[in-house]
Amino acid sequence: MATKPVPFPGFTPITDRVYLRNDERVKPVPADEPTTIVILGWGDGMPKHVSKYSDGFHELFPSSRIIVVLSSTMQASNQQLEARVEAMKPVIDLVFPTPTGDGTDEERVLFHAMSNTGGIFLAAVAVAYQRRHGTDKTLPHPLLVCDSTPGGLNFASQVGRWSRAMAVGTAKFFPWPFIVTHALWYTFLWANWAWERLRGLEPSGNWATRILNDHGIASTDSTRLYLYSKEDQIIWWEDLEANAAEVKRLGYPVEMELFEGSLHVGHGRMHPDQYWTKISNCWKATQSK
């Protein structure tokens, strides 16, 4: 049974996970703006919080249409691969009903992935694109903004942080102290990890990194901008920098922006001028290639 979409003022629900901003985009979209911006929210992100990023993008690129994808941390960590990809097919139907470059109007898409949940479902979007249009085609996007993602892939070193993130997102649903919720998610993640190992399944974070670093799926024509801080309690900056170095080694253009004092997916709230200026400048750079 389909889940009912959550109330999201200013957006039209396409599914219970995918929302389209009601603003009518100008046609043709000015050449210096994205035609579409896709924001893949962090795990358990609420519309009232994610919408602040939608507003920021709308101010920066007023002619672009905006799509927001909302997902839970549980869906990112535990949803089966096929279900993950199926949930993202409506994004492809909205943005790429036909393959770009086939003579139709070109899409200039800016993807904004927030936290590991956003990154996991971005990978699902990339796979869904190939399912629709063929494995010989890569997901077209001049710029991918990686906001507080990705983290390390070693489960034992990361499980404490992941379980804390899940506890933060769900604590309001439980009457007991936060530490109990944290402990329950910690136990669940270890049990899920063991079950996946027994079944020979690839953890979702590892899968997403592999997909997004595959030249046959994500073209090196796309720039990646990493937004991060050393105060992030969920994504270690050392892990993110190591991932960015590997991505650069693989041939992807990489930009880095370090923020002072901001917490996980909080860089835009604490440093709005630095945050939006960096995104704007990176987008301009991709268009001048």
Side-chain angles (χ1 to χ4, degrees):
M1 183 179 296
T3 305
K4 184 178 179 180
V6 299
F8 202 160
F11 283 80
T12 299
I14 306 303
T15 71
D16 64 313
R17 304 270 297 280
V18 179
Y19 298 81
L20 176 63
R21 186 156 180 153
N22 287 332
D23 296 325
E24 292 291 333
R25 68 171 172 177
V26 176
K27 293 185 179 180
V29 177
D32 61 347
E33 294 187 29
T35 54
T36 302
I37 297 162
V38 182
I39 304 171
L40 298 112
W42 64 93
D44 306 299
M46 298 175 65
K48 66 179 181 180
H49 298 143
V50 180
S51 64
K52 291 180 172 59
Y53 293 88
S54 168
D55 291 341
F57 273 115
H58 181 62
E59 185 174 343
L60 204 61
F61 304 117
S63 302
S64 306
R65 66 175 170 177
I66 299 174
I67 295 167
V68 170
V69 177
L70 299 178
S71 303
S72 69
T73 311
M74 174 69 85
Q75 287 166 328
S77 64
N78 203 44
Q79 192 172 34
Q80 294 298 308
L81 170 59
E82 289 305 315
R84 248 182 269 152
V85 173
E86 190 66 28
M88 294 301 101
K89 284 183 178 177
V91 176
I92 303 305
D93 295 338
L94 281 170
V95 186
F96 303 110
T98 60
T100 189
D102 66 352
T104 61
D105 291 339
E106 290 287 338
E107 283 281 358
R108 301 184 300 276
V109 183
L110 188 160
F111 283 104
H112 188 94
M114 308 191 75
S115 191
N116 281 352
T117 293
I120 287 165
F121 284 101
L122 172 64
V125 169
V127 173
Y129 182 83
Q130 290 198 330
R131 297 276 179 89
R132 279 280 192 260
H133 301 305
T135 56
D136 61 327
K137 299 186 180 299
T138 57
L139 182 69
H141 60 291
L143 178 62
L144 163 58
V145 180
C146 299
D147 186 334
S148 307
T149 187
L153 299 179
N154 179 274
F155 180 81
S157 69
Q158 300 297 317
V159 63
R161 291 168 177 259
W162 295 340
S163 57
R164 186 181 186 281
M166 296 175 80
V168 168
T170 58
K172 60 182 176 291
F173 300 115
F174 303 113
W176 48 69
F178 177 84
I179 192 172
V180 176
T181 307
H182 189 183
L184 288 172
W185 281 123
Y186 184 86
T187 303
F188 167 80
L189 287 176
W190 269 112
N192 186 65
W193 175 83
W195 178 238
E196 286 181 337
R197 295 268 294 187
L198 285 172
R199 299 170 64 196
L201 299 178
E202 185 177 19
S204 57
N206 299 62
W207 172 81
T209 296
R210 178 173 60 80
I211 291 296
L212 295 176
N213 291 352
D214 185 332
H215 292 175
I217 299 174
S219 170
T220 54
D221 291 338
S222 172
T223 297
R224 297 193 191 180
L225 167 61
Y226 293 88
L227 308 175
Y228 68 111
S229 77
K230 294 186 177 182
E231 290 75 24
D232 191 330
Q233 295 180 321
I234 294 174
I235 300 297
W236 285 348
W237 64 271
E238 300 96 331
D239 291 330
L240 188 146
E241 287 190 348
N243 181 278
E246 173 63 11
V247 165
K248 190 172 183 179
R249 186 191 69 79
L250 291 170
Y252 294 91
V254 168
E255 291 281 340
M256 309 285 290
E257 187 73 3
L258 179 66
F259 296 84
E260 295 293 332
S262 48
L263 300 180
H264 190 60
V265 294
H267 320 308
R269 293 192 297 275
M270 190 169 184
H271 304 286
D273 290 341
Q274 180 186 359
Y275 187 88
W276 293 111
T277 297
K278 185 63 178 182
I279 291 174
S280 176
N281 288 342
C282 276
W283 177 261
K284 289 175 183 175
T286 67
Q287 300 308 291
S288 62
K289 286 182 178 180

